[in-house]
Amino acid sequence: MIVNYLKAMAIFSLVAETGSFTAAGKKLQMPRGKVSEQVSRLEDYLGVKLLQRSTRTVSITDEGRTLFQQVQTLLPTVMQAVDEVKSFNSEIKGKIRLTTTQDHYETLLVPLLKQFSLQYPQVQFDLLISEEPLSIIEDSIDLAIRSGELPDSNLVSLPLTSTRLKLYASPLLGELPKRPEELSEFPWVTISNTQALTNLALKHKGGELVHVRLESQHQANNIASYRPLLEHGFGIGVLAEITGNELVKQKRLVPVLPEWQAHHLQLSLIYPARLHLAQRTRLLIEFIRVNLSD
């Protein structure tokens, strides 16, 4: 009976999602050999090859892809129903692994996690703060807050809020530019993975667009080291308005040309398109969505 192969189908789907027997075994806390055994058992039952194996890679066959698509539709509904029934008699607890950048972590994520932990004190957070996007699948990450394009089709992207990139500087810098054309006369701070010589496009709230060519005097390799340069008066720089405005409230920065902006930045909540999300993770997704969505 097919019901006897539901476990094998779930294991196969995780192998297809991660592209690796080893990675699937790690997530399931199961030896690689047992994972392979379950997939082989399912293949024998169906009479088709679902995965092509080699010493280094695993690729999905056409038959495997068809089954994977159907399983992705079926199993989440079943698992969600089971979780909801079990939750009536169980506490929300366990670990959630999250990643985001330093500025989003301090400004957005920490306050939300504090509120969430008051509701669910048994939930533990494992935080990976990085300016470089980590692999959601390979690093076993449950949730990420990111901006920009998301090329990985195995991820779900839930739009949250949008923010504007604007100019800020320290009050220590003294008199600040009053027109975009004056920006080139001031020192400029950038993050080192951007071009040192920057053609900055600024848009006025009235719709006017200007391009200003700027040469950076100082660079930092991440936002954690970039912000202190701004705060100590090394130059003018760009920050997400969510972050910049918080630092303005703390009187550590002042806005520069506040009626102008660089561009909009869309923030999204990212998580794997896996068969089963733990209830604690689903609750946090909804909590963040409600509190951050436009």
Side-chain angles (χ1 to χ4, degrees):
M1 295 176 62
I2 188 61
V3 69
N4 296 326
Y5 294 88
L6 289 177
K7 177 181 177 181
M9 291 170 66
I11 291 173
F12 154 74
S13 184
L14 191 56
V15 174
E17 178 186 313
T18 60
S20 166
F21 285 98
T22 301
K26 182 179 177 182
K27 289 179 178 293
L28 295 167
Q29 298 183 332
M30 179 184 292
R32 182 187 184 283
K34 289 292 185 181
V35 174
S36 180
E37 180 183 306
Q38 288 290 329
V39 174
S40 296
R41 178 170 171 265
L42 181 60
E43 289 176 326
D44 290 343
Y45 173 74
L46 296 173
V48 297
K49 205 73 172 173
L50 299 174
L51 299 169
Q52 294 291 353
R53 306 156 174 84
S54 71
T55 55
R56 294 185 178 180
T57 62
V58 175
S59 59
I60 192 166
T61 64
D62 288 343
E63 293 83 357
R65 188 171 293 104
T66 298
L67 179 62
F68 178 55
Q69 291 170 349
Q70 295 300 320
V71 169
Q72 277 193 310
T73 303
L74 172 65
L75 285 186
T77 304
V78 175
M79 298 305 294
Q80 182 175 347
V82 170
D83 262 2
E84 288 179 358
V85 172
K86 288 173 64 178
S87 70
F88 294 142
N89 296 308
S90 63
E91 286 186 285
I92 304 301
K93 58 184 178 180
K95 185 179 291 185
I96 303 176
R97 201 170 207 207
L98 308 98
T99 184
T100 191
T101 57
Q102 182 71 32
D103 54 341
H104 298 333
Y105 169 64
E106 293 182 15
T107 309
L108 298 176
L109 192 56
V110 168
L112 289 176
L113 294 184
K114 179 59 178 177
Q115 294 176 46
F116 187 83
S117 68
L118 293 176
Q119 294 185 40
Y120 305 103
Q122 299 301 313
V123 173
Q124 303 166 325
F125 301 120
D126 182 5
L127 298 162
L128 301 174
I129 308 306
S130 173
E131 300 308 309
E132 297 298 323
L134 302 179
S135 172
I136 303 295
I137 301 299
E138 292 179 10
D139 293 312
S140 300
I141 292 169
D142 297 304
L143 296 175
I145 293 180
R146 286 185 181 173
S147 59
E149 296 296 322
L150 302 164
D152 193 337
S153 60
N154 288 325
L155 302 178
V156 176
S157 174
L158 180 65
L160 296 173
T161 188
S162 62
T163 184
R164 295 174 292 186
L165 291 180
K166 303 192 74 173
L167 304 182
Y168 296 89
S170 168
L172 300 173
L173 205 58
E175 187 176 355
L176 297 172
K178 295 180 174 56
R179 301 190 308 274
E181 295 78 10
E182 298 175 6
L183 283 171
S184 59
E185 302 171 11
F186 287 77
W188 188 250
V189 181
T190 61
I191 295 180
S192 56
N193 61 3
T194 60
Q195 294 181 348
L197 194 63
T198 306
N199 185 15
L200 182 67
L202 291 175
K203 186 175 183 180
H204 190 267
K205 67 178 185 180
E208 181 186 357
L209 182 66
V210 299
H211 293 267
V212 183
R213 195 164 180 80
L214 302 165
E215 186 170 3
S216 65
Q217 277 74 30
H218 309 286
Q219 295 184 358
N221 69 334
N222 57 47
I223 195 71
S225 53
Y226 170 74
R227 276 174 29 190
L229 291 177
L230 294 180
E231 292 173 20
H232 285 82
F234 280 82
I236 298 171
V238 175
L239 285 173
E241 191 175 30
I242 291 176
T243 301
N245 284 355
E246 185 62 32
L247 296 173
V248 170
K249 289 179 186 177
Q250 299 170 14
K251 301 187 184 305
R252 293 154 70 181
L253 293 178
V254 294
V256 177
L257 302 176
E259 295 186 341
W260 296 80
Q261 69 179 52
H263 57 80
H264 273 84
L265 192 67
Q266 175 66 51
L267 300 182
S268 300
L269 186 62
I270 314 302
Y271 53 95
R274 58 174 59 133
L275 295 174
H276 171 51
L277 288 175
Q279 188 181 15
R280 60 183 177 273
T281 306
R282 292 202 310 270
L283 287 170
L284 182 56
I285 289 172
E286 180 62 13
F287 185 82
I288 294 174
R289 185 194 68 78
V290 168
N291 283 277
L292 284 187
S293 293
D294 286 332

